[in-house]
Amino acid sequence: MTRAFITGIGGQDGSYLAEQLVAEGVEVHALAHAIEPLPDAPGVELHSGDLTDVDDVRSLLIDLAPDEVYNLAAMSSVARSWEKPDLTAQVNGMAAAALLESALLVQEKLDRPVRFVQASSAEIFGQPDRSPQDESTPVRPLNPYGAAKAYAHLMVEVYRRRGLHAVSAILYNHESPRRPEQFVTRKITSTVASIARGRADVLTLGNLDARRDWGWAPDYVDAMVRAARADQATDYVVATGVAHSVRDFVAAAFAQAGITDWEDLVVVDQEFVRPADPTELVGNATRARRLLGWSPTVGFDEVVQHMVEADLAAG
Ligand code: NAP
């Protein structure tokens, strides 16, 4: 039986990944962040801990000896990374490097392959001069989150050269009803649902013209599993290839809630415009399509629909 180890189980992707692996019959172990309440993860053996406690996590990994390691734990908000650049570097960068080393130690000790997937990010490209981006786009991050992810991304290549089946999944934005409300998409859908229920008056946002390549979180988790199991380890852009503006997202969310005249319900506040905001990140996932047989199964309108429906249903 395949045994997997997941970090970041309490997050959006960790929960979907655990569900996918458990459904496949994989024995799933996960690091549950010590400061959060234990996540509800049926079928998963949870181990409390902090990824930055490198020695503890290394002992755990050596004890568990997993076949697959998925490193999803991160300080995942770009905005918060400006407030906590040092913590961001520790969690998203240094702890990822330590986990790669731990995986290699397990591989060498047991003399069998360990497959490692790092949840990287399109933010490693910063404000790229070409669009769409692919795996050969220069890494030139513009914020602390992207810089820490870039370090981990480069370390994946370093460990791949040392013989680890290490993969960096360069993830573009992906959403779901499980996205926390500090992220713009969920802020939009939860506020639109509140407005529709008469519990909020306005939706306050930053730059409505910012454009993003938004996909469906379970699709992106599936790409990571496929990448772990591919014969060859390489990096993959995971993206839909289609960008939409925040304004498009807002319009689709209001439409889903049955509100057509929404312009007066949206207030633009400069406070929410984040520094060095890349204007357009769009990914070219040709390699993932070709080598992993992966493609997105849920389009933009459906993503918005699922999120608004869930927020309306939550009351
Ligand atoms: P998420 O919902 O923010 O989940 C991240 C998880 O990591 C949280 O459960 C968090 O726990 C945990 N964590 C943070 N610091 C930790 C630490 N020191 N030790 C152990 N666990 C820690 O993120 P996500 O949306 O699922 O994303 C998964 C991964 O993909 C992340 O690495 C993210 O950076 C990357 N990614 C996501 C997107 C996206 O659009 N979702 C795009 C590109 C890349 P606490 O809440 O307790 O801190």
Side-chain angles (χ1 to χ4, degrees), residues 61-142:
L61 208 72
I62 289 170
D63 276 356
L64 294 174
D67 305 286
E68 298 173 356
V69 176
Y70 297 90
N71 185 31
L72 273 48
M75 228 293 304
S76 71
S77 151
V78 170
R80 269 200 71 211
S81 80
W82 286 105
E83 291 157 21
K84 299 202 175 284
D86 46 349
L87 179 66
T88 304
Q90 276 171 23
V91 180
N92 298 11
M94 288 157 63
L99 194 63
L100 280 158
E101 174 65 17
S102 302
L104 185 65
L105 286 174
V106 172
Q107 172 166 301
E108 287 174 345
K109 189 162 173 256
L110 301 181
D111 196 22
R112 64 155 170 73
V114 174
R115 290 161 182 268
F116 189 107
V117 179
Q118 164 66 15
S120 189
S121 162
E123 293 286 339
I124 66 172
F125 298 139
Q127 215 152 13
D129 49 19
R130 60 174 116 141
S131 194
Q133 301 84 45
D134 61 21
E135 296 79 7
S136 64
T137 300
V139 172
R140 243 176 351 219
L142 286 175

Side-chain angles (χ1 to χ4, degrees), residues 77-264:
S77 151
V78 170
R80 269 200 71 211
S81 80
W82 286 105
E83 291 157 21
K84 299 202 175 284
D86 46 349
L87 179 66
T88 304
Q90 276 171 23
V91 180
N92 298 11
M94 288 157 63
L99 194 63
L100 280 158
E101 174 65 17
S102 302
L104 185 65
L105 286 174
V106 172
Q107 172 166 301
E108 287 174 345
K109 189 162 173 256
L110 301 181
D111 196 22
R112 64 155 170 73
V114 174
R115 290 161 182 268
F116 189 107
V117 179
Q118 164 66 15
S120 189
S121 162
E123 293 286 339
I124 66 172
F125 298 139
Q127 215 152 13
D129 49 19
R130 60 174 116 141
S131 194
Q133 301 84 45
D134 61 21
E135 296 79 7
S136 64
T137 300
V139 172
R140 243 176 351 219
L142 286 175
N143 55 55
Y145 169 85
K149 284 282 182 186
Y151 171 66
H153 176 79
L154 295 172
M155 289 300 273
V156 165
E157 170 73 25
V158 168
Y159 276 81
R160 193 156 55 219
R161 284 169 187 266
R162 289 186 67 194
L164 192 68
H165 188 288
V167 167
S168 188
I170 306 166
L171 306 172
Y172 282 63
N173 287 54
H174 47 281
E175 315 299 317
S176 76
R178 299 183 193 176
R179 193 72 146 142
E181 287 185 20
Q182 77 256 30
F183 290 89
V184 68
T185 51
R186 184 70 200 296
K187 177 177 177 178
I188 293 168
T189 61
S190 62
T191 310
V192 165
S194 297
I195 292 172
R197 295 251 179 262
R199 296 198 190 119
D201 300 323
V202 288
L203 168 62
T204 305
L205 292 170
N207 183 6
L208 292 183
D209 297 319
R211 293 175 69 79
R212 289 286 182 282
D213 180 336
W214 279 298
W216 177 237
D219 280 343
Y220 288 50
V221 159
D222 181 49
M224 288 193 259
V225 175
R226 287 170 187 249
R229 300 187 185 156
D231 290 342
Q232 291 250 317
T234 184
D235 298 333
Y236 296 94
V237 160
V238 184
T240 71
V242 183
H244 289 89
S245 66
V246 173
R247 188 186 307 279
D248 294 338
F249 201 107
V250 169
F254 275 113
Q256 188 59 39
I259 300 171
T260 41
D261 289 334
W262 56 266
E263 299 274 353
D264 292 342

